[in-house]
């Protein structure tokens, strides 16, 4: 019997900085979806006054990070010199390439009273020819993200292209990351031409071609579901394309020796530093 969903993955709590995330990728039976190699859901949570999110300086190679918030805000700093407050609906795309260091922290103005935080951070493995690119940073304001109503539902294409929309954030390989907000009982067609797609149920349960997905799960779609005109009850996020790389901690690369070199560089603090925010930094894991 045909099925719309190839794989369902439940979230696993993981410590990141001073907080926790719900990790969906990588998973032991599904390491990637297209080029997406990590997917962490931040919150939703309410932070008490005086408490904030602090992710100290840490390095990356061979990937791009994408941060997309639904609620709250974070301050991003990196070794390219970029300093940017991330607000709901905006897109932060940082390409690590040959090596970058960055931090993420709650906005200082939010610490005097309780604040909320809810978002999604993904890592995108760079194509082999782009793994050693010069590090770079791109910020796209929420007002520049293309949005379209589909009945009483809506779709925002934060990165890549789909549903006849194209984001200013094109990505390093064919992909899409979109926020779909559904009217109760509404349906949105899967109008994305990519070989691999997945859906995260971020707010409540949903159904894809009448097959259930529980709140918090990621559902990897079967190839026959990825066809224009197919209707799936989809809510907040989809994506797609690449493979053949090694992951160790924050490092992604097709050459394992390059990862060993990055370990040595970070252990001896030869990575580029984050201006005015490098100490404390996250030490290299021992295993």
């Amino acid at each position: 019997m045909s099925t719309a969903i190839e794989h369902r993955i439940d979230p696993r709590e993981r410590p990141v900085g001073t907080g926790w995330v719900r990790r969906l990728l990588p998973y032991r039976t599904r390491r990637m979806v297209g080029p997406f190699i990590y997917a962490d859901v931040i919150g939703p949570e309410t932070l008490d006054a005086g408490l904030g999110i602090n992710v100290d300086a840490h390095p990356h190679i061979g990937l791009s990070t994408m941060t997309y918030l639904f609620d709250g805000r974070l301050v991003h700093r990196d070794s390219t010199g970029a300093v940017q407050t991330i607000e709901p609906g905006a897109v932060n795309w940082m390409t690590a390439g040959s090596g970058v260091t960055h931090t993420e922290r709650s906005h200082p103005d939010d610490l005097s009273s309780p604040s909320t935080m809810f978002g999604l951070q993904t890592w995108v493995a760079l194509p082999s020819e782009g793994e050693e690119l010069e590090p770079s940073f791109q910020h796209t304001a929420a007002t520049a993200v293309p949005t379209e109503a589909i009945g009483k539902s809506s779709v925002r294409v934060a990165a890549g292209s789909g549903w006849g929309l194209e984001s200013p954030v094109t990505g390093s390989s064919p992909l899409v990351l979109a926020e779909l907000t559904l009217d109760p009982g509404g349906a949105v067609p899967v109008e994305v031409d990519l070989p691999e797609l997945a859906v995260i149920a971020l707010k409540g349960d949903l159904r894809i071609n009448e097959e259930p997905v529980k709140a918090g799960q990621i559902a990897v779609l079967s190839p026959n579901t990825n066809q224009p005109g197919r209707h799936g009850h989809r809510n907040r996020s989809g994506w797609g394309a690449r493979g053949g790389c090694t992951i160790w901690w924050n490092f992604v690369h097709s050459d394992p020796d390059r990862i060993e070199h990055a370990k040595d560089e970070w252990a001896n603090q030869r990575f580029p530093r984050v201006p005015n925010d490098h100490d404390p930094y996250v030490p290299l894991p021992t295993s």
Side-chain angles (χ1 to χ4, degrees):
M1 183 178 71
S2 177
T3 178
I5 299 172
E6 180 182 284
H7 208 82
R8 292 177 181 84
I9 300 171
D10 292 319
R12 293 143 289 139
E13 282 199 344
R14 294 289 186 270
V16 174
T18 56
W20 294 79
V21 298
R22 290 178 289 152
R23 181 153 297 160
L24 293 164
L25 291 175
Y27 187 63
R28 55 184 171 80
T29 57
R30 184 78 195 207
R31 306 298 294 176
M32 302 175 68
V33 175
F36 288 87
I37 202 160
Y38 258 71
D40 284 348
V41 178
I42 309 163
E45 64 178 317
T46 299
L47 303 168
D48 292 337
L51 297 179
I53 290 176
N54 281 296
V55 183
D56 292 333
H58 60 282
H60 292 289
I61 64 165
L63 57 82
S64 293
T65 65
M66 177 176 171
T67 305
Y68 185 84
L69 299 180
F70 308 113
D71 199 5
R73 55 182 179 170
L74 289 169
V75 179
H76 165 99
R77 291 181 174 85
D78 68 43
S79 53
T80 72
V83 180
Q84 180 65 54
T85 298
I86 315 169
E87 297 183 324
V91 181
N92 260 32
W93 183 281
M94 181 186 72
T95 296
S98 61
V100 77
T101 308
H102 76 127
T103 64
E104 289 164 314
R105 305 192 189 279
S106 291
H107 195 285
D109 292 350
D110 297 338
L111 298 178
S112 60
S113 59
S115 60
T116 56
M117 186 62 63
F118 184 26
L120 175 68
Q121 186 171 85
T122 61
W123 295 0
V124 178
L126 292 170
S128 55
E129 65 273 16
E131 289 175 315
E132 297 298 325
L133 284 171
E134 189 75 15
S136 62
F137 176 81
Q138 177 185 0
H139 176 79
T140 301
T143 54
V145 175
T147 304
E148 185 169 308
I150 301 177
K152 293 184 179 181
S153 302
S154 67
V155 58
R156 302 185 81 239
V157 176
S161 59
W163 294 273
L165 304 173
E166 185 167 352
S167 170
V169 183
T170 56
S172 49
S173 55
L175 56 80
V176 64
L177 193 145
E179 176 186 1
L180 278 69
T181 303
L182 297 182
D183 181 60
V188 174
V190 182
E191 296 181 349
V192 177
D193 185 18
L194 288 170
E196 295 184 350
L197 288 171
V199 175
I200 301 173
L202 286 173
K203 280 194 171 181
D205 299 347
L206 57 88
R207 301 182 74 82
I208 300 173
N209 286 14
E210 302 308 319
E211 297 176 33
V213 183
K214 294 179 181 179
Q217 286 184 327
I218 185 172
V220 181
L221 305 189
S222 299
N224 63 356
T225 310
N226 180 23
Q227 296 294 329
R230 288 292 186 98
H231 286 71
H233 294 254
R234 306 183 59 200
N235 157 315
R236 292 196 186 271
S237 277
W239 44 61
R242 179 199 154 161
C245 54
T246 299
I247 314 171
W248 189 90
W249 190 42
N250 298 325
F251 305 140
V252 174
H253 211 279
S254 60
D255 181 359
D257 289 340
R258 179 66 178 86
I259 290 180
E260 293 302 314
H261 177 71
K263 290 182 188 181
D264 181 69
E265 292 286 287
W266 184 251
N268 291 285
Q269 283 299 287
R270 290 193 293 264
F271 260 76
R273 299 171 69 87
V274 182
N276 303 313
D277 194 22
H278 195 81
D279 294 306
Y281 62 83
V282 180
L284 188 78
T286 57
S287 62

